[in-house]
Amino acid sequence: MDPNTFPTKGNLMLAKNSLVLAKQGYELMDKKRNILIRELMELIDEAKGVQSEIDVTFTSAYRALQRTNMELGINYVQEIATTIPIEDSIMIKTRSIMGTEIPLVQAEHCDTMPTYAYYSTRESLDIARSCFEKVKQLTINLSMIENAAYRLATNIKKTQKRANALKNITIPYYETLTTSIQNALEEKEREEFTRLKVIKRTHSK
């Protein structure tokens, strides 16, 4: 038997303190969960907007690319594509939301000069290049939002489990323990009072 469940005044104080801490812990978990859910909802709305913008930009980019392929030839466009440098400017940092590490993905956005000559190409290639540059930025942004949303959802699930454990297991346990110890102590006090009355009555005879 757990010695902390013995009906003593010391154990009663421990049980009451544990009950207070459990209730405070539940309130904190509940607040944390609500904050994380609010952040997640904002990210979901933001992701919808970015995804919609990506769809439109992709459509424009591929339309411009198809036109370029027809005007310049697929092989020539492929040759130009091989001259584009590899993207290496992406940096990943993090920020914390209620203990959840959220990625911050950044990429240097600089207007680099085209790797092809204007005189040997058409305007459709410039349009395609501009559209795909925008798609790249939007994709980076979307990947950051989706990753953050996934991490928040995972943390919300963990927080919900902890809150449920406190609400359905820990708090009821200490409420029951506090009541049982208190009842036992009150019963003991009544027995002691009755015993003293009997002793007093016996001595008075």
Side-chain angles (χ1 to χ4, degrees):
M1 183 177 179
D2 186 352
N4 289 329
T5 62
F6 293 156
T8 65
K9 289 184 178 180
N11 285 342
L12 178 60
M13 291 298 296
L14 287 173
K16 285 183 176 180
N17 289 338
S18 296
L19 179 58
V20 170
L21 287 174
K23 287 181 176 179
Q24 289 176 344
Y26 172 73
E27 289 176 2
L28 288 174
M29 289 293 106
D30 193 47
K31 286 179 181 177
K32 178 180 178 179
R33 180 192 57 192
N34 290 335
I35 291 172
L36 292 178
I37 289 174
R38 186 169 63 247
E39 290 284 342
L40 179 60
M41 292 299 101
E42 290 176 0
L43 284 176
I44 290 174
D45 290 339
E46 190 177 350
K48 288 179 181 177
V50 174
Q51 184 62 62
S52 177
E53 193 174 356
I54 284 178
D55 292 341
V56 172
T57 308
F58 253 125
T59 301
S60 299
Y62 277 114
R63 189 179 294 120
L65 183 61
Q66 287 176 340
R67 183 178 175 185
T68 303
N69 287 336
M70 288 187 293
E71 292 178 348
L72 301 177
I74 294 177
N75 291 334
Y76 184 50
V77 173
Q78 286 179 339
E79 286 180 18
I80 294 173
T82 59
T83 65
I84 298 174
I86 296 174
E87 174 61 68
D88 61 355
S89 67
I90 296 176
M91 297 178 294
I92 300 177
K93 299 180 181 179
T94 57
R95 67 185 178 97
S96 180
I97 300 178
M98 300 297 290
T100 304
E101 293 296 318
I102 301 300
L104 288 174
V105 184
Q106 298 175 336
E108 293 181 6
H109 182 67
C110 52
D111 295 326
T112 55
M113 292 296 294
T115 56
Y116 53 84
Y118 286 116
Y119 69 86
S120 60
T121 59
R122 298 290 181 89
E123 182 186 10
S124 58
L125 181 61
D126 299 330
I127 296 173
R129 174 179 169 272
S130 177
C131 287
F132 278 110
E133 180 67 28
K134 186 177 180 182
V135 166
K136 182 186 75 173
Q137 295 296 329
L138 289 170
T139 303
I140 290 171
N141 193 21
L142 182 63
S143 69
M144 178 179 66
I145 294 170
E146 289 183 342
N147 193 296
Y150 173 78
R151 294 190 183 191
L152 284 173
T154 301
N155 207 339
I156 288 170
K157 190 175 181 181
K158 290 179 181 177
T159 304
Q160 183 68 54
K161 284 184 178 180
R162 290 171 183 169
N164 288 342
L166 286 168
K167 182 181 179 181
N168 301 322
I169 300 173
T170 308
I171 292 175
Y173 170 76
Y174 283 113
E175 285 178 339
T176 302
L177 181 60
T178 299
T179 301
S180 63
I181 291 177
Q182 201 158 6
N183 290 340
L185 289 174
E186 289 174 357
E187 181 64 28
K188 191 175 180 181
E189 286 178 2
R190 284 193 292 269
E191 289 177 358
E192 185 66 20
F193 178 72
T194 303
R195 188 178 67 84
L196 289 173
K197 282 186 70 175
V198 170
I199 292 172
K200 186 177 180 180
R201 191 181 302 125
T202 302
H203 283 299
S204 63
K205 287 182 179 179

